[in-house]
Amino acid sequence: MPSPAIPPGAADRRSFVKKVFAGVLGAVALLSPLAAGVTMFFDPVRRRKRQDAGMIKVATLDSVPKDGLPRKFAVVASRTDAWNRFPRVPVGAVYLRRTGPRKVEAFNVACPHAGCLVDFDEDNKSYLCPCHNSTFTVEGKRSADSPSPRDLDALEVQVRKDNGIYVKFQQFQMGQAAKVPLA
Amino acid sequence: MKPLLNWLDARTGAVSLVRRILYEQIPGGARWRHCWGTALLFTFFMQAITGFFLLTSYSASAQSAWESVYYIQSEMLAGWLVRGLHHFTSQIFIALLAIHVLQSVIFHAYTAPREFNWWLLLLLVPLGMGMSVTGWLLPFDQHGYWAARVPLNIAGIIPGIGALQQKLLLGGTEVGHLTLTRFLSLHAGFLAAATGTVLLVLCAWDRRHRPVVGANPNVAAPYWPDQALRDAIVCLAVLTTALFFVIRPRLIDPAAPLGAELGAPADPSEPFSAARPVWFVLFLFQFLKYFPGESEVWGAVVIPTLVLLMLVMMPFVGRWKFGRRFNVGFILGVAGGVTMLAWLAIAEDRGDPIYRLAVEDATRTGRRAVELAQSPAGISTLGAVALLRTDPYVQGPKIFAKHCSSCHRYGGHDGTGRIPKDPQRAPDLKGFGSREWLTEFLNPDNISSTKFFGGTKFKDGKMAKFVKKEFTGDTPAEKEQLRKVIIAVSAEAGLKSQRDADKQDARHIAEGRKLFDAEIGCSDCHRFRGGDEETSAPSLSGYASRQWLIGMISNPGHIRFYGPRNDRMPVFGDDKILEPQTIALVADWLRGEWYEPPPPTNTLTSASAPAGGK
C-alpha cells in the first residue's frame, strides 16, 4: 500500500521496481537448487557406454551342432554399472547357428520389440517371444503379424583359427525399425 | 476442558477445524457411496505407513535390493506382513481408483463447479500407474526386472524425446544401480508426495463442492457420527481384504511363504518367460500384441493418452444435450474393453503349457534363492544372483537339457521336464552310479534297452554280451554275489543319498571288491582300485565320483574311460565346449550334491521366524 505522503506516480514506480525485484530474486532463489538438481539428474545422458567389449569369445565351433538350428550361449564379459565394475559376468546371450562348415550366424536373444528374451521353438522351427508373441524364422526374419518392428538383431561374428566363435556383443534401441546401437 | 480448548483454538484454529470437519452438514445425509473417497485416502495412508517402514530396511542397489527385500520378507519380524500389506494395498488403491472414476462418470460428478475435483481425480491415474511401475522394480527380482523393461521400452519409443526420457529413467542404457536409486526416489519421494498432496486437496475440494447428484437436497446430516461410522467400516474392509491376500498363498499351498511373492534375483542373462505385468496393466500388455512393428507407439502411448484426454474433456462434453449419456457410454466402453483385453491375456496364458512351466520354474527358482540365502554359506558380497549361478540344483537341469539331452535322458526327460525332440541315443542318467541304477543296468533284460545301451554302439558289445551270458538264470547265491559287487562299485561314487547305506554295508563292500576281481571277472576289462591303466573298458576306480564324472564329461575318449572306443560323446572339457565350472555343476547335479535345507520344524512360524540352518 502506498503511503499518502508520497506522490502517487512515484509510489507506483517504486512499487513496480519492488515487485520486479521480489519476483526475480524469489525465482533465482527457488530455481537455483532445482537447476543444480536437474543438472545432476541429466548426468547419464552425457555419459557414454565404455566401448571395451570388442569381440568376445562365446563358444567353440564344436559346441554348435551342424543341424543348422540355433543354440543359445551366454555372453560373459566385464560390465560397468555406475560405481561398480564387474569382471566376467553374464551380460546377455546370443543364438548361434551354423550356416556353413566354418560359418556361424549370431543373433542377440533380446526381442527388438520390448526386450524380452526369445525362445527357439524346435517344433515349429521358429523363434517365439514369450511376451507379446513375436515370431521369427530360423534366419531371424520377423513374421508379418509380429509386434516386433524389425528382424532379430544380427551380430558381427568371427570364427577364428582356434575354432573359437567371437561375437561383437551389442544391444540396440528397442521398439523401432532402425537398428541403432545403444551407446 | 472447555477453557483449554478455547485457548488452543485461539492460537491454532485446530479445534474449529476439527469441528468443521466433523459437524459439517452433508447434503443427502450419510451414504455408503460417499465412502469411496475415504477408502482411497485410507489406502494411501496404509501405503505411506508400510512404505516408510519398508524404506527403513531397503537398500537400493543392483547388488543389495533383492537381498534387502529377502531379509525383510524372510528374516525380519513381521517383515512379510508389512511387505505383503504394501504389495496388496497398492493394488487395492488402483482398484478403488478405477471404481471411483467409474462412479464419478456415472453420477456425472464432474459437472460444474466440480471440474477441478474431476481433473485431480484423473491426475491420480497416471500417478498411481507411476507408483506401480516404479514400485514393481524395487524388489529387483526376475518378475520386477522383466516387467519393468516394457514400460522403460515404451518410454523409449515416444518420438523425439523417447531416447532421452529412457536414459533419464534408467540412469544409463541398462537397468542397474541408478535405475533403482531413481525409481526409489520417484516412488517414495516425488510420486508419493504428489499423490498425497493430490488426495488431500481433493478431500478439501470435495467438501467445498459436494457431489449432490442423486442426493435428496432437503435432507442433510453431519459427518459425525453416521458417515464416519460408514467410513470406518469401509476402511476396515480395505484392511481385511489386504490381509486376506497376505495369507492367501498359504491357503492355496501350505509350503508357500506368506505375503507377496519374491522371485529369483534379477538376472539379465537368465531368460524369464513368466514375465507378465501386474493384473491392472494386463489389458495394455494384451493390447500391444495387436500393434505390429512401429505402430506400437499408437497402442502404448497415443491411444491411452487420447482416452485420458477424453476423460479430461468430460465436464465440457457433459454440457451438451446428450453429453452425459455419451460420457457414460464412453467410460463403460473403455471399462468393458479393458476387462475384455485383460481376460484375453489371462485366457491365452491359461491355455499355454509353456507359460505354465515357466511360472512353475519361476516359483521354484525364487524359493530356491531364499533357501540358498538362508544356507550357512549365506549371501556373499557377489550378491544372491551368484548363489543361483553356482547352484547345481538350479543350473544342472538347464545344462543337461542344453548339452546332454540330445542323446541322454534324465528320468525319461531332459532334466527340466520337457521331452527332447531327438530320439534317445545314450543311457538315462537319473540316479547314475546308485545301487538301483547299477542293478537295473546289470539286468540282462535291460542292458540293451533304450534306457541303457540300446541307442549306443555298445548295444551288442562285450559288456552287453557278458551281462546276458553271465547273469541270466543266476542262482540265489550268484545273485547275492552280484549284489555285493554292485554295492562295492556303487560305494565308489560316495553318493550323499547312500552315505548311511554305505557305512552299514562296509563288510559287504569289502567282499564285493574281492568278488569283482575273482568270481565275477569284471577286472578282465575294467580297472578297479589299482591295476593296469591300459584296459579295454572304463576304469571303475572312483566310479561315478565327482572327479570320475568330471573326467568322463571332460574327455570320454581318455584312456581311463572309453579311449578310442568312445561312441559319439563330445569331448566337453578338452575341446572347451563347456567351462570347467559348468561340467562340475552338471556332475554335482547328477550326483545329487546340492545344498538341502534342514526340514522346517514348524511350517506356521517358518515365514516369520528365522528358518533352520542358522
Side-chain angles (χ1 to χ4, degrees), chain B residues 343-364:
Chain B
W343 181 80
L344 276 174
I346 293 167
E348 210 170 291
D349 281 342
R350 281 239 171 97
D352 183 356
I354 298 174
Y355 174 72
R356 214 170 32 237
L357 268 179
V359 170
E360 280 167 21
D361 185 56
T363 309
R364 201 171 39 239

Side-chain angles (χ1 to χ4, degrees), chain B residues 140-152:
Chain B
F140 214 51
D141 60 356
Q142 286 279 73
H143 291 288
Y145 179 84
W146 291 100
R149 280 180 68 137
V150 175
L152 283 168

Side-chain angles (χ1 to χ4, degrees), chain B residues 48-110:
Chain B
I49 291 165
T50 50
F52 168 76
F53 286 105
L54 287 174
L55 198 53
T56 59
S57 297
Y58 176 74
S59 166
S61 105
Q63 269 177 312
S64 58
W66 186 92
E67 290 75 359
S68 63
V69 175
Y70 143 74
Y71 195 73
I72 292 170
Q73 173 75 30
S74 306
E75 302 290 325
M76 290 182 85
L77 205 60
W80 56 273
L81 179 62
V82 176
R83 178 168 174 256
L85 285 176
H86 195 76
H87 179 89
F88 291 109
T89 308
S90 75
Q91 300 173 40
I92 295 175
F93 182 86
I94 300 285
L96 285 173
L97 183 59
I99 292 171
H100 207 44
V101 167
L102 207 61
Q103 183 201 22
S104 297
V105 178
I106 290 172
F107 292 102
H108 32 90
Y110 49 76

Side-chain angles (χ1 to χ4, degrees), chain A residues 40-49 57 59-60 62-63 67 69 71-74 79 81-84 86 88-93 110 112-117 119 122-123 125 128 130-133 142 144-150 171 173-178 182-183, chain B residues 60-63 146 149-150 153 156-157 162-164 166-178 181-182 185-186 267-276 284-286 288-294 296 348-349 354-355 389 402-403 406 421-422 575-577 579 581:
Chain A
M40 188 189 115
F41 194 71
F42 271 68
D43 172 81
V45 177
R46 75 179 176 102
R47 212 166 276 281
R48 289 279 161 266
K49 209 176 163 183
K57 185 176 175 182
T60 58
D62 299 307
S63 54
D67 56 11
L69 296 181
R71 297 291 190 285
K72 191 160 62 190
F73 294 90
R79 195 171 72 87
D81 182 5
W83 48 84
N84 271 132
F86 302 98
R88 291 190 57 76
V89 288
V91 292
H113 177 228
C116 300
L117 304 192
D119 295 318
E122 299 226 340
D123 297 330
K125 298 271 183 293
L128 171 70
C131 287
H132 302 96
N133 302 348
R142 76 193 165 107
D145 56 347
S146 289
S148 177
R150 58 172 188 262
Q171 310 274 14
Q173 187 73 45
M174 288 175 278
Q176 58 183 35
L182 287 177
Chain B
S61 105
Q63 269 177 312
W146 291 100
R149 280 180 68 137
V150 175
N153 166 54
I157 60 172
L164 176 73
Q166 192 178 28
K167 228 168 183 183
L168 283 178
L169 281 171
L170 278 169
T173 52
E174 284 165 59
V175 176
H177 290 326
L178 290 177
T181 53
R182 274 158 196 251
S185 47
L186 286 174
D267 187 345
S269 65
E270 192 62 60
F272 189 67
S273 302
R276 289 293 178 269
L284 198 57
F285 163 83
Q286 181 71 13
L288 292 187
K289 292 183 186 169
Y290 307 121
F291 289 87
E294 282 202 303
E296 185 189 15
E348 210 170 291
D349 281 342
I354 298 174
Y355 174 72
R389 284 179 187 157
K402 192 159 123 188
H403 296 283
S406 61
K421 176 177 60 79
D422 301 305
D575 280 357
K576 301 219 163 46
I577 299 173
E579 300 278 321
Q581 310 91 285

Side-chain angles (χ1 to χ4, degrees), chain B residues 529-570:
Chain B
R529 304 182 77 80
D532 192 4
E533 169 91 356
E534 188 77 49
T535 47
S536 60
S539 162
L540 298 183
S541 310
Y543 168 76
S545 64
R546 185 170 198 265
Q547 201 203 356
W548 189 94
L549 261 175
I550 290 174
M552 177 64 138
I553 300 166
S554 301
N555 186 2
H558 190 275
I559 195 72
R560 232 177 104 205
F561 302 105
Y562 284 110
R565 293 167 304 282
N566 178 34
D567 180 19
R568 290 169 293 177
M569 174 144 162

Side-chain angles (χ1 to χ4, degrees), chain B residues 245-256:
Chain B
F245 280 107
V246 169
I247 56 164
R248 196 177 76 120
R250 195 53 73 79
L251 301 177
I252 296 168
D253 172 7

Side-chain angles (χ1 to χ4, degrees), chain A residues 104-145:
Chain A
V104 173
E105 197 172 42
F107 295 112
N108 194 324
V109 293
C111 176
H113 177 228
C116 300
L117 304 192
V118 297
D119 295 318
F120 186 71
D121 177 0
E122 299 226 340
D123 297 330
N124 296 318
K125 298 271 183 293
S126 66
Y127 294 96
L128 171 70
C129 179
C131 287
H132 302 96
N133 302 348
S134 286
T135 52
F136 306 87
T137 64
V138 172
E139 291 83 23
K141 298 268 175 289
R142 76 193 165 107
S143 53
D145 56 347

